[in-house]
Amino acid sequence: GENVEQHPSTLSVQEGDSAVIKCTYSDSASNYFPWYKQELGKGPQLIIDIRSNVGEKKDQRIAVTLNKTAKHFSLHITETQPEDSAVYFCAAKTGGFKTIFGAGTRLFVKA
Amino acid sequence: KAGVTQTPRYLIKTRGQQVTLSCSPISGHRSVSWYQQTPGQGLQFLFEYFSETQRNKGNFPGRFSGRQFSNSRSEMNVSTLELGDSALYLCASSLQGGADNEQFFGPGTRLTVL
């Protein structure tokens, strides 16, 4: 069935360093890949997304890359700040109106 | 513009009872999806509704059901509650629910089953 694997489950970085989270999806029909940030007590919030016809997208300190052949996509956060500490989820969506989420990565940014 | 609202925010029930959770989407959004979030299983898709019709369903038992009203508000119901149903239930809305429609999540309803 459809599956999204996400690594690592926990990531600890020093403030100012970069953080990279990687995901792999199984359904080759997936064509939309959003990334969400979830802070304590809140629902997930979309931070960046990429469509299958694009290889890379950047928004200030956040970038996402997609390799359709390998079915990999990654989130890159540069110049991390303490407020980046949260749980990050990758997801994959097909035209079937169903979004499959990765298990999440807990990011700690140490000041 | 008001965000997605979910009521109640917290619920405590006992095994065997049933529960109904409510979700009000962002104004103008017609698609509502429900997810179950647990520490062990992450975010699991329950079902998606659009114009009062269920378009897709996840792999949950029939005890989990939902519906959507003509104003796009949605409810989900869990009958014969089990301890394992304890979770954060999240609702998300989007304009049409299509592959590139951004989903906006509510804060969730935390259900505890004793």
Side-chain angles (χ1 to χ4, degrees):
Chain A
E2 303 135 325
N3 186 46
V4 175
E5 291 190 3
Q6 181 172 348
H7 300 280
S9 57
T10 306
L11 180 59
S12 185
V13 300
Q14 204 67 37
E15 183 179 1
D17 288 350
S18 295
V20 180
I21 302 170
K22 298 182 179 183
C23 290
T24 304
Y25 61 98
S26 62
D27 187 349
S28 55
S30 298
N31 54 11
Y32 176 64
F33 306 90
W35 285 88
Y36 293 88
K37 175 183 180 183
Q38 187 174 26
E39 296 173 316
L40 202 60
K42 298 182 180 179
Q45 181 182 13
L46 180 74
I47 55 171
I48 195 167
D49 57 12
I50 191 166
R51 288 160 179 73
S52 59
N53 59 347
V54 176
E56 185 173 354
K57 182 176 178 181
K58 190 173 180 181
D59 182 5
Q60 298 182 0
R61 296 186 297 108
I62 295 173
V64 58
T65 58
L66 171 65
N67 182 330
K68 280 187 65 179
T69 304
K71 296 189 208 168
H72 288 171
F73 57 115
S74 301
L75 177 72
H76 304 252
I77 306 174
T78 58
E79 300 171 25
T80 53
Q81 301 166 3
E83 51 265 39
D84 294 330
S85 296
V87 180
Y88 291 81
F89 292 95
C90 63
K93 196 171 185 182
T94 66
F97 312 108
K98 181 181 353 187
T99 304
I100 306 298
F101 284 81
T105 296
R106 188 171 295 277
L107 174 65
F108 296 97
V109 180
K110 296 176 286 188
Chain B
K1 201 179 205 182
V4 178
T5 57
Q6 293 187 244
T7 56
R9 291 293 312 277
Y10 302 92
L11 261 180
I12 299 176
K13 293 283 187 180
T14 55
R15 276 181 300 175
Q17 287 188 308
Q18 75 161 15
V19 67
T20 299
L21 313 181
S22 181
C23 171
S24 292
I26 290 172
S27 178
H29 285 193
R30 295 169 65 191
S31 168
V32 173
S33 297
W34 288 90
Y35 297 87
Q36 181 194 66
Q37 185 175 26
T38 59
Q41 299 294 319
L43 273 154
Q44 305 260 301
F45 173 78
L46 280 155
F47 26 66
E48 188 260 359
Y49 285 88
F50 179 82
S51 291
E52 302 177 68
T53 300
Q54 187 184 88
R55 290 195 298 195
N56 213 326
K57 191 176 187 305
N59 298 323
F60 279 81
R63 301 185 296 108
F64 291 82
S65 63
R67 59 177 176 168
Q68 186 180 35
F69 302 95
S70 58
N71 62 358
S72 294
R73 190 177 71 84
S74 177
E75 288 181 348
M76 68 163 280
N77 185 76
V78 188
S79 62
T80 320
L81 284 166
E82 300 177 359
L83 295 179
D85 296 333
S86 293
L88 181 68
Y89 289 88
L90 291 160
C91 154
S93 78
S94 66
L95 279 169
Q96 306 274 1
D100 59 352
N101 272 197
E102 180 178 353
Q103 284 191 103
F104 294 84
F105 282 84
T109 293
R110 183 161 297 282
L111 171 66
T112 301
V113 182
L114 303 175

